[in-house]
Amino acid sequence: MKPRLRYEGYAVEKARTEQELLNAAQKAGVAITPELRNQIAQTSEQWALATVEANKLAEAQDDLRQKAEEWRDTEKDSLKGLVSDFAAGKGGWKRWCRSFGRRTSGRIVKLQRDP
């Protein structure tokens, strides 16, 4: 199997699609010739590839959504710290900058490790 085809679900999706197409052809009374089998195999392969790519895209979007939520949480935490420091009269701007820098640098390191 080609390296790019070693994704979970490819073989199952290809076999399922191939069987559905063969069943539909038989139900329609179409003669199952070697040429038709070849066309069905090619079609099911393309369908399985498209399905795998769609699943990979959905997974990447979920990862991106999760990272965006983590950044939003970091921003919220930093802003809360700034507001509470200002309210307490602690000269919060410098402290907030240091705190935000620590939090964001940790997130940046994490993003570099897990792209």
Side-chain angles (χ1 to χ4, degrees), residues 9-52:
Y10 169 82
V12 172
E13 187 64 29
K14 183 179 182 308
R16 184 190 63 75
T17 303
E18 194 166 346
Q19 189 60 53
E20 284 181 7
L21 292 173
L22 285 169
N23 291 346
Q26 286 175 341
K27 186 175 180 179
V30 176
I32 307 297
T33 64
E35 182 181 333
L36 180 61
R37 281 189 182 276
N38 187 33
Q39 289 173 344
I40 287 174
Q42 289 175 3
T43 301
S44 62
E45 180 176 337
Q46 292 305 309
W47 183 263
L49 284 171
T51 300
V52 166

